[in-house]
Amino acid sequence: MQESLNAIVSRAAAELPKVGSRPEFEAAKARYVGPNGELTAVMKTMGAVPKEQRPAMGRLVNEAKAGLQALLDEALRRIEGAELAARLGPPVDPTLPPPDAGPGTYHPITLVREEMCRILHKVGFSVTDGPEVETEFFCFDALNTPPEHPARDPQDTFYFPASARLGNVPKKVEGERYLLRTHTSSVQVRTMLKGPPPIRIVSPGRAYRRDTTDATHSAGFHQLECLYVDRGVTVRDLKALLDYIFASLLGPGTKTRFRPHYFGYTEPSFEVDLSARHLPKVNKEWIEIGGCGMVDPAVFAAVGYDPEAWTGYAFGMGLERLAMLLYAVDDIRYFYQNDLRFLRQFA
Amino acid sequence: MKLSLNWLREYAALDAPVEEINRAITFLGFEVEGTQVTGAPRLDGVVVGEVLERGKHPNADKLSVCQVDVGPAGGVKTIVCGAQNYKVGDRVPVALPGAVLPGNFTIRQSKIRGQLSDGMMCSGREMGVGDDHEGLMILAGRPGLGLPINSVLPPGDTVFDVEITPNRPDCLSHLGMARELAAWFRKPLRYPQVRFAGHPAGAAPAAHALLASVRVDAPEDCPLYIAHAIAGVRIGPSPEWMQERLRAVGLRPVNNVVDVGNYVMLEYGQPLHAFDAAKLGGSRIVVRRAAAGERIVTLDGREHALTGGMLVIADESRPVVVAGIMGGVNSGVEAGTTDLVLECAVFNPLSIRRTSRSLGLASDSSYRYERGVDSEAAGEAARRAVDLILETAGGSVVGPVHRVGSDTPVRREIVLPTGFVERRLGFAIPEPEMRRALGALELDISRESAAPGGGAEWTVSIPSWRGDLDRPIDLVEEILRLHGTDKIPPSTVVAPGLPGEDDPVVRFNRAATAYLVGHDFHECVTTTLRSARETATWVSETAAQELAVSNPFADDQSHLRPTLVMGLLETLRLNQSRGVAVSRLCETGRIFIERNGHNFECAASAFLIAEDASRTWRRREAPDFYTVKHHVEALAAAAGVNLSREALLPAQGPYFGWQAGHSAVVGDMAHGWTARFGLLNLGMVRALGISGTVHAGIFAILPEKLLGGPARRRYSDFSLYPAALRDLALVVDASTPAGQVRDAVLKAGRAAPAGAFVLESVGIFDVYQGANLPEGRKSLAFSLVFRASDRTLTDDEVNAAFGRLQEDLARNTAFQIRK
C-alpha cells in the first residue's frame, strides 16, 4: 500500500507540472483525487488493513493527500498566472507619446483673470457679471459722464441704431441709445442699483473702444474693476488694496504708487504705477498698470446712495496689459489670434 | 502740451534739477510723455582755448599740430587737429584729457600718427550742441581763456511734453503750470507785468473808423468778445527771445503779430486772433452763426462749406474767421498789413467742439476753447498781447476797447470742514500744511468758523480758472496732490467676511471652461465684432441687421457675433494656414441671438473638433456627432439644464453654418436657452479654406436663466434586490428617431408591471440596417432592466410583464417586434 501511495505521488509530481490548461488540470485532478481517482481507490482498501496498522497507514494516506494537494495548488497557480499573462499584449514602450491631442489649455487672459479673482476673493470681493451691450445710462450718465463728454463721441464708442431692441437689456431712460460698454464700470452701476451697501465686488469682462488695432490696442479688450462701498472707506484703504493685490501677484517686494489723475467717476483719482523690475522685458522703474480713485459723490447720487453716509473706492485695469506684463508678451494681437504655439505656453 | 522750462522760470524761480521738476509735474497729476533737452549738456573739462600756432603734421597731410593756450586751465597744450575752418588767434572749445563728451567719449592724452596730442578741439556736434560738424566751433566775442565752456555757450532749455487732463484747461499754459510748480516747490508766482490799461471808465474815446462796432448775435455761444483796433504796425520778424520760445515748444515763428498771438495763448491759455483790418469789408465785426452755404478758406489752405449752426466772425458780408478755430485767408495778417483788429474772446466749448468735429478742423485755439478758457483772464491776456504788439510791431491802439458780453462768472465758495480731509484720506495732514497747500494754489480761505462736529470749517473761494473745483472732496484732492500721493501711509486690507457669492454667469463660465479644457480643448479668445459676410453665413438677413453696430470702425468688425463658432473657425483656419496642427478649440463668452426682432445677449460656451491632421503612431477613432452631443450635454449640465430630458429632434432648416441631416438643435430663446451641435456645413468649411470636416457644438443661455441655480436634490430610495434583464428588438421605419421609439418602449414598460415592480431603465444597445431587413427599415435593440423594491423577481412575473409590454407595443405602435 505504501508503494502504491508513493507511486501515485511521484506520478503526480511528474505529470502535474506539465499540465498546461484548465481542462487538462481538471482531468488530472479528477484522476488523482476525484471520487473515482487513484487516491480514493487506495483509500478504499483501508478496510483490508489490520487494525493495529491502521493509524500508521492513515498517517501515510494523509501525507500522500497533502502532497497531492500541494502539487495541484502549485499547478493551478501556474495555470492561472499563464491565463492572466495571456490577456496582456506585448509590453508597452513607455517612451512613446500618447496619440491623443492634448492636454487642453486655458487662455492666458483667463489665467490672469482667475488669478486676480482669487486674490480679491481672499479679501472679500465677489465676482459679478453684466451685459456687454449697455445703455448710455449705465455706461455714462450714472458714472458722471456729461452728454457732451468726448468719451461718448461716436468716434470713440460703438453705438447701435435707435431702432435696436435688446430683449434682455432694458433701457433705464427713455430714448437712450444702446452701445458696447467702454468699461466694466457699468456692472458696478447695476450692482449698486440692485441693493444698498456695503458692496465689495470685482467685475471682469470685455469692453470696447473704437480704436485702431495695433501692438498695444484692440477694439475689444478685457478689463477688471473693483468696487468697495461702505462707511468710512478712505484713500488709505484704496492704497492698501493695491499694495495687497500686486504683492500677492508679483511677490512681497512689489511696490505700487499713486499719481493724481482725472476720471469723471472718481474724486480724487489716481493712476497706479507698479515697480516690478524683476519681471522680464521691464526696463522702466515704474509701469502704469491701472486707474483708481474714490467713488465720486455724483455716482452715488445717480444710484440713490447717500454720499454723506457712504464712501467707496474703485479700481480698474486692463487684463491684456497685465498679461503682457506677467508673461512678457509684446503684441496684444497674439491674445486674439490663438495660435496654438502661443496658447500652449501658459498652461 | 509742450512746456519750456526757461519759459516757466519766467513766472517762478524753479531752481530744482530737471528730474525733480519732471517728478513734480508727474505728482501734480500730469503725465510727462517726454523730456527734450536743447542747448549744451554739462561739459566738465571743456574750456575756452586760443590757437597760438598751427603747423603741419609730419606724417599726415590732413592733420595739423597746434599750440593751444587754455590759460589758467592748463597753459599751452599741443593738440593734433583735423579740422580746416580755423586760423591762428581763433578761440575754440578745448576738451582736456579726462573730459567726457556726449556718447561717453573720454578724452585722453594720446599719440596720433606718432605725434602727442594733449586734448581735443571740438565741433558743435562733438559737444552735443547742434548738428554742425563742418569744423571747430569758433567762439565769438573772445571769451576768457580757460573758462568752462558751459559759461560761454548759451544755456540750453528743457521742454516737457505734458499730457494735460481734461479737467485742467488752466494748465494748457505756461502760467498755469508755473502756478502748480510754484505751489509744489513753495516759490512765489510772478504774473507778467501788463502795462496797457485800456481807457479809464467813462473816458472811452469815440469809435475809430478802423473798427466802428462789434455785434454779437449769438451770445450763448460767445459770452465775451473783446476787440482792440491797432493802427500803424510794421510786420516783421518777432524778437529772437520770442522766436526761441515758440520754437522750443514746437511752433514755427511767422511774424511779430502772429507770434504775439501764439505767445500769449501759450502764456495765459487764452487764444487770440489778429486780423488785417484793411481786408475787412466795412468796419463792423459781427459774431454770428453761419448761413447755410457760406464758404471760407482757412489759413491752412482748405475750403470749408459752413452750415447753419457754426459760429463765425464776419465782416459786413462774409465770414472771416471760423470762430475759435481758425482764421480765413481773406483776413490774414501778412507782410503789408498795417492795421489790425485783435480779437480775444470766450466761446462756448460745445459750439467749438461741434464745429471742429464736423469740419475736421482743429487748432491749438480750438483745443483750448473745447476744454474751456478762463473768462476772467481774457481781458488781461488781451492787454498783454497789446503790450507785446506795440513793443514788437509798433503802432497804437485807436478808438475804444470793444467789449461785448460779460466776464464775471459766479464766484464759487466751498465749505470745507478740516476733519473731512482726514475722514476721506484715512490719515491726517497737519493743518498748517493744508492751509499752505490751498494758499499756494490761490484757493483762499475767506472765512473760518467752528465746524458743527468740532474742529474748524474753512470757506474757500475758488478762482475763475478752477472750474473743476465744486465740492469739499475736490479740495481734498488738491490738498493730497500737494502733500504727495506717494506719501499715502501703508496699511492692511480690512476685509469683513465675503458678502456675496460669485455671479451665476461667472460660475457657469468657469464650469464650462474647466470641462472643456479638461477634455483637451484649447481655450480661445476671439473678437466679438465680426464682418457682415461672416454674420450672414450664420443668421438670417433680418437677424444680421439687428446685430449691426451703427458706427463700425473697420468693415470687418461691424456685427455682434451670433455664435462663438465663427471665431473658432477663424482660429482653426489661422492655425492650419500656419502649419500648426490643431483639432480641439473652445471659447466661453457672450453671443447675441435674435428672436422676433429682439436681440438677446446670452452667456455661451462652444467648441469645435476638427479632423486631426497630425500623424500619430496609433490612430484613434474619429469623433462624430455623438462625441459633440456628449460634450454639449455636459455644457448644458454646467448651466443646470438636463439635455437628455429635452425633446431633441434632427434640426430643421434653415441650417446656415450647420450640415443638414448631421446636426441637431434643442431649445430656443423661448426656453431661455438653446443648444446646437453636429457637423458644420461642409461647403462653408471648405469655402473658409479649412481642410477636413469639423464638428462643433454650442450651448447658450440667458444670464437671467442662470439665476438661483437648481433646487436642492432629494435622495430617492433604490432597491437592493437583483435586477431582471430582458432584451427587445423593434423594426421601425428608418426615418423614425430612436428617441421616439425609446419613449414608446418606456411608456409601455412603465405600465406593464402594473405597479408590482418597475422598469428601471431602457438602454439602446444596437442600431441595425441592412441584410435580413426590408429596404427603408431599421432594427433598434433595447436592453430593459426590471426590478422590485422589496423582493427578488421571479422569471414568471417578469415574463408576464414583458409579454404585456410587447402586446401593448404591437397594439399601439407600428413597430414590429423582431423575434
Side-chain angles (χ1 to χ4, degrees):
Chain A
M1 188 170 181
Q2 189 171 353
E3 290 83 63
S4 329
L5 287 172
N6 286 346
I8 292 170
V9 172
S10 51
R11 239 180 301 121
E15 185 194 358
L16 284 173
K18 291 183 197 141
V19 167
S21 70
R22 207 175 268 267
E24 280 180 64
F25 170 79
E26 294 300 340
K29 186 177 172 186
R31 214 160 46 244
Y32 290 110
V33 296
N36 301 314
E38 296 177 26
L39 184 67
T40 320
V42 173
M43 279 157 69
K44 280 179 185 157
T45 65
M46 279 289 272
V49 176
K51 198 171 182 181
E52 62 279 11
Q53 287 180 18
R54 277 187 195 166
M57 277 299 128
R59 215 166 33 250
L60 285 174
V61 168
N62 281 340
E63 276 169 21
K65 208 174 177 179
L68 280 174
Q69 194 57 48
L71 286 166
L72 286 166
D73 287 349
E74 168 59 27
L76 186 61
R77 224 181 353 263
R78 190 171 44 74
I79 289 165
E80 277 177 347
E83 277 173 359
L84 287 179
R87 289 194 192 174
L88 296 170
V92 295
D93 175 355
T95 64
L96 277 170
D100 313 282
T105 53
Y106 282 101
H107 195 278
I109 298 283
T110 301
L111 291 173
V112 170
R113 183 191 68 221
E114 290 301 310
E115 186 168 1
M116 285 292 288
C117 287
R118 278 197 302 277
I119 288 169
L120 287 160
H121 236 267
K122 285 198 284 183
V123 287
F125 286 81
S126 48
V127 189
T128 54
D129 193 75
E132 292 176 10
V133 172
E134 267 295 0
T135 76
E136 289 180 278
F137 174 82
F138 293 102
C139 196
F140 294 130
D141 297 339
L143 290 162
N144 198 26
T145 314
E148 291 288 342
H149 193 277
R152 303 177 71 142
D153 198 286
Q155 294 222 10
D156 300 318
T157 300
F158 292 107
Y159 284 95
F160 292 89
S163 60
R165 287 181 297 175
L166 266 291
N168 57 341
V169 186
K171 288 183 182 179
K172 177 91 177 165
V173 179
E174 200 173 331
E176 63 172 333
R177 289 174 293 177
Y178 283 114
L179 48 81
L180 277 170
R181 67 179 178 196
T182 56
H183 43 206
T184 53
S185 319
S186 51
V187 182
Q188 306 182 344
V189 175
R190 287 181 177 277
T191 308
M192 287 192 280
L193 282 171
K194 250 182 245 167
I199 280 178
R200 200 192 276 261
I201 54 161
V202 50
S203 48
R206 289 189 183 212
Y208 303 84
R209 289 182 196 166
R210 231 173 144 267
D211 207 345
T212 324
T213 300
D214 61 26
T216 52
H217 295 87
S218 166
F221 59 100
H222 295 75
Q223 263 198 339
L224 179 140
E225 299 201 336
C226 306
L227 172 73
Y228 176 40
V229 183
D230 208 334
R231 292 184 201 278
V233 182
T234 67
V235 170
R236 191 179 184 178
D237 295 329
L238 172 57
K239 181 65 167 46
L241 177 80
L242 272 296
D243 285 343
Y244 160 76
I245 290 176
F246 290 106
S248 306
L249 198 64
L250 302 167
T254 310
K255 282 183 293 183
T256 61
R257 71 172 191 189
F258 282 5
R259 279 181 289 112
H261 196 67
Y262 171 71
F263 304 112
Y265 30 90
T266 47
E267 179 76 21
S269 306
F270 311 99
E271 288 199 306
V272 184
D273 288 346
L274 193 61
S275 171
R277 285 213 103 125
H278 56 288
L279 293 178
K281 294 195 196 173
V282 168
N283 49 15
K284 286 196 295 189
E285 160 99 59
W286 293 101
I287 314 154
E288 188 186 322
I289 193 71
C292 67
M294 304 304 291
V295 180
D296 196 288
V299 175
F300 283 153
V303 298
Y305 287 3
D306 176 3
E308 299 294 316
W310 302 104
T311 51
Y313 61 64
F315 160 65
M317 67 184 301
L319 283 176
E320 278 86 348
R321 184 166 170 69
L322 182 62
M324 287 170 90
L325 189 67
L326 289 181
Y327 300 124
V329 174
D330 38 28
D331 194 324
I332 200 171
R333 288 167 290 201
Y334 290 147
F335 291 114
Y336 317 114
Q337 288 175 352
N338 306 297
D339 189 312
L340 220 60
R341 294 167 296 176
F342 178 76
L343 297 181
R344 281 208 178 105
Q345 295 186 29
F346 309 98
Chain B
M1 180 190 183
K2 288 203 162 94
L3 293 157
S4 148
L5 182 54
N6 287 349
W7 196 339
L8 290 167
R9 282 179 175 146
E10 185 97 345
Y11 317 113
L14 303 173
D15 47 13
V18 168
E19 307 79 70
E20 263 182 53
I21 293 174
N22 204 321
R23 192 173 170 281
I25 297 173
T26 304
F27 278 93
L28 283 162
F30 306 95
E31 201 163 330
V32 181
E33 290 175 329
T35 307
Q36 191 198 339
V37 179
T38 61
R42 206 173 139 161
L43 296 162
D44 292 329
V46 184
V47 299
V48 177
E50 180 172 325
V51 183
L52 301 179
E53 283 176 30
R54 176 179 176 178
K56 247 188 74 56
H57 191 293
N59 306 321
D61 286 348
K62 291 191 175 161
L63 299 180
S64 308
V65 180
C66 301
Q67 298 302 313
V68 183
D69 185 2
V70 295
V76 178
K77 303 271 184 184
T78 303
I79 293 175
V80 175
C81 180
Q84 305 296 333
N85 69 324
Y86 63 99
K87 58 186 189 300
V88 169
D90 279 346
R91 294 208 166 172
V92 296
V94 178
L96 301 172
V100 181
L101 297 184
N104 223 2
F105 174 42
T106 306
I107 302 300
R108 290 192 180 82
Q109 201 181 55
S110 60
K111 274 192 174 172
I112 299 172
R113 297 258 181 134
Q115 180 65 52
L116 187 82
S117 184
D118 201 11
M120 184 178 103
M121 295 189 279
C122 304
S123 69
R125 185 148 93 170
E126 282 159 343
M127 294 185 293
V129 187
D131 261 349
D132 191 0
H133 62 297
E134 286 306 303
L136 303 183
M137 176 186 273
I138 311 296
L139 301 169
R142 299 189 62 73
L145 292 181
L147 283 178
I149 199 70
N150 281 113
S151 68
V152 174
L153 295 175
D157 194 0
T158 300
V159 176
F160 303 101
D161 194 354
V162 181
E163 193 192 324
I164 307 293
T165 49
N167 59 326
R168 294 301 304 274
D170 60 305
C171 288
L172 291 168
S173 68
H174 282 80
L175 200 47
M177 187 56 81
R179 183 184 295 118
E180 294 278 311
L181 288 168
W184 181 271
F185 289 108
R186 307 185 176 211
K187 306 278 185 188
L189 182 72
R190 296 186 298 258
Y191 281 90
Q193 289 293 317
V194 178
R195 292 182 301 277
F196 179 73
H199 304 281
H208 190 274
L210 203 155
L211 179 60
S213 70
V214 172
R215 198 179 80 221
V216 177
D217 286 351
E220 61 283 9
D221 283 348
C222 176
L224 176 63
Y225 196 93
I226 302 169
H228 290 80
I230 303 173
V233 300
R234 282 174 67 105
I235 301 299
S238 56
E240 188 50 42
W241 63 266
M242 187 181 284
Q243 292 196 26
E244 198 177 293
R245 285 191 178 169
L246 293 177
R247 270 194 297 263
V249 298
L251 260 65
R252 187 176 52 88
V254 180
N255 60 44
N256 41 14
V257 170
V258 171
D259 289 358
V260 166
N262 284 331
Y263 186 85
V264 175
M265 175 180 72
L266 296 173
E267 185 172 47
Y268 280 87
Q270 167 66 50
L272 293 113
H273 184 69
F275 34 115
D276 187 336
K279 292 181 185 170
L280 290 178
S283 61
R284 249 187 286 278
I285 280 178
V286 184
V287 183
R288 61 168 169 85
R289 297 219 167 79
E294 281 188 309
R295 304 183 83 81
I296 187 170
V297 178
T298 44
L299 287 166
D300 58 357
R302 287 168 57 200
E303 185 172 11
H304 303 276
L306 304 173
T307 56
M310 297 174 177
L311 194 70
V312 295
I313 315 301
D315 63 13
E316 305 220 332
S317 57
R318 60 196 176 140
V320 293
V321 178
V322 181
I325 304 176
M326 200 177 281
V329 289
N330 56 11
S331 62
V333 171
E334 53 191 11
T337 301
T338 57
D339 297 337
L340 304 173
V341 172
L342 180 68
E343 163 199 299
C344 181
V346 177
F347 298 114
N348 178 348
L350 298 185
S351 158
I352 300 296
R353 184 158 167 267
R354 288 196 193 110
T355 305
S356 167
R357 286 280 159 121
S358 62
L359 293 181
L361 185 67
S363 62
D364 287 340
S365 163
S366 65
Y367 188 82
R368 286 171 174 76
Y369 278 125
E370 281 184 32
R371 281 155 184 77
V373 297
D374 173 12
S375 61
E376 265 181 67
E380 183 170 322
R383 292 199 302 280
R384 168 76 166 155
V386 169
D387 273 0
L388 290 173
I389 288 175
L390 300 192
E391 190 181 306
T392 64
S396 59
V397 176
V398 295
V401 176
H402 297 270
R403 187 184 180 96
V404 183
S406 139
D407 65 347
T408 29
V410 183
R411 279 260 158 214
R412 285 195 319 281
E413 287 186 331
I414 300 175
V415 177
L416 178 71
T418 52
F420 182 82
V421 181
E422 184 176 347
R423 286 201 297 280
R424 288 295 184 262
L425 291 180
F427 60 95
I429 294 176
E431 192 184 297
E433 191 189 331
M434 298 202 280
R435 203 181 276 279
R436 194 202 67 77
L438 294 175
L441 293 167
E442 299 182 45
L443 306 167
D444 298 323
I445 300 169
S446 50
R447 283 191 305 283
E448 292 184 36
S449 57
E457 193 170 80
W458 295 344
T459 302
V460 181
S461 59
I462 307 302
S464 59
W465 60 84
R466 292 304 301 271
D468 59 317
L469 303 181
D470 246 344
R471 307 154 302 179
I473 190 71
D474 300 329
L475 295 179
V476 173
E477 175 167 47
E478 295 306 293
I479 292 166
L480 176 58
R481 274 197 316 134
L482 285 197
H483 174 72
T485 49
D486 55 341
K487 292 190 205 131
I488 300 168
S491 180
T492 49
V493 184
V494 181
L498 185 69
E501 175 69 271
D502 288 349
D503 191 282
V505 175
V506 173
R507 284 180 283 152
F508 165 72
N509 289 345
R510 265 189 208 135
T513 308
Y515 171 83
L516 290 168
V517 170
H519 285 80
D520 294 343
F521 288 88
H522 297 283
E523 191 196 5
C524 299
V525 168
T526 69
T527 54
T528 305
L529 291 171
R530 319 295 310 187
S531 73
R533 222 183 60 174
E534 204 182 1
T535 310
T537 316
W538 288 94
V539 293
S540 73
E541 207 176 301
T542 26
Q545 245 164 23
E546 293 293 327
L547 294 166
V549 296
S550 39
N551 56 337
F553 186 76
D555 284 346
D556 59 348
Q557 298 179 4
S558 55
H559 287 67
L560 292 173
R561 57 184 178 187
T563 175
L564 296 170
V565 178
M566 57 211 304
L568 295 178
L569 279 173
E570 187 190 22
T571 299
L572 174 62
R573 190 201 56 75
L574 176 122
N575 277 284
Q576 283 192 351
S577 74
R578 290 179 179 179
V580 180
V582 53
S583 124
R584 292 168 166 244
L585 300 171
C586 71
E587 181 170 12
T588 296
R590 296 297 181 109
I591 62 165
F592 301 84
I593 298 179
E594 185 266 355
R595 180 172 178 265
N596 298 338
H598 283 72
N599 254 331
F600 291 86
E601 183 169 337
C602 298
S605 185
F607 61 89
L608 64 73
I609 306 178
E611 221 171 282
D612 198 346
S614 57
R615 296 170 63 190
T616 54
W617 61 274
R618 176 175 289 168
R619 215 55 215 162
R620 297 297 202 203
E621 200 178 328
D624 59 16
F625 176 88
Y626 301 99
T627 316
V628 294
K629 182 178 179 185
H630 170 71
H631 292 315
V632 167
E633 280 181 351
L635 296 180
V641 172
N642 187 342
L643 219 53
S644 65
R645 285 200 200 145
E646 299 294 329
L648 203 158
L649 293 170
Q652 305 295 307
Y655 297 95
F656 295 109
W658 303 91
Q659 184 66 50
H662 295 265
S663 61
V665 64
V666 55
D668 67 24
M669 280 300 106
H671 292 64
W673 60 267
T674 179
R676 191 139 199 187
F677 51 94
L679 184 66
L680 292 182
N681 185 289
L682 297 180
M684 174 198 70
V685 167
R686 182 190 287 167
L688 286 172
I690 291 167
S691 61
T693 58
V694 184
H695 282 87
I698 180 164
F699 176 82
I701 184 163
L702 294 177
E704 50 272 31
K705 286 281 167 185
L706 286 166
L707 293 176
R712 193 173 297 286
R713 296 296 172 82
R714 290 275 297 278
Y715 152 80
S716 52
D717 213 1
F718 52 88
S719 166
L720 298 175
Y721 292 92
L725 310 180
R726 294 293 181 275
D727 289 350
L728 173 69
L730 295 172
V731 175
V732 304
D733 247 23
S735 63
T736 311
Q740 197 181 316
V741 183
R742 183 173 173 272
D743 287 347
V745 173
L746 263 174
K747 189 168 166 240
R750 285 195 182 119
F757 54 97
V758 295
L759 171 61
E760 197 174 74
S761 70
V762 175
I764 302 177
F765 72 87
D766 190 44
V767 180
Y768 176 77
Q769 214 170 342
N772 302 329
L773 282 181
E775 183 75 17
R777 305 279 282 173
K778 67 182 170 191
S779 158
L780 298 168
F782 298 89
S783 60
L784 286 67
V785 179
F786 295 95
R787 209 191 290 262
S789 62
D790 55 352
R791 63 186 192 283
T792 302
L793 289 173
T794 65
D795 263 358
D796 288 349
E797 55 184 332
V798 174
N799 287 342
F802 191 49
R804 286 196 293 277
L805 184 158
Q806 295 181 59
E807 284 160 28
D808 187 343
L809 286 175
R811 205 169 40 246
N812 297 320
T813 69
F815 311 147
Q816 182 193 335
I817 294 160
R818 202 174 172 205
K819 301 290 178 189

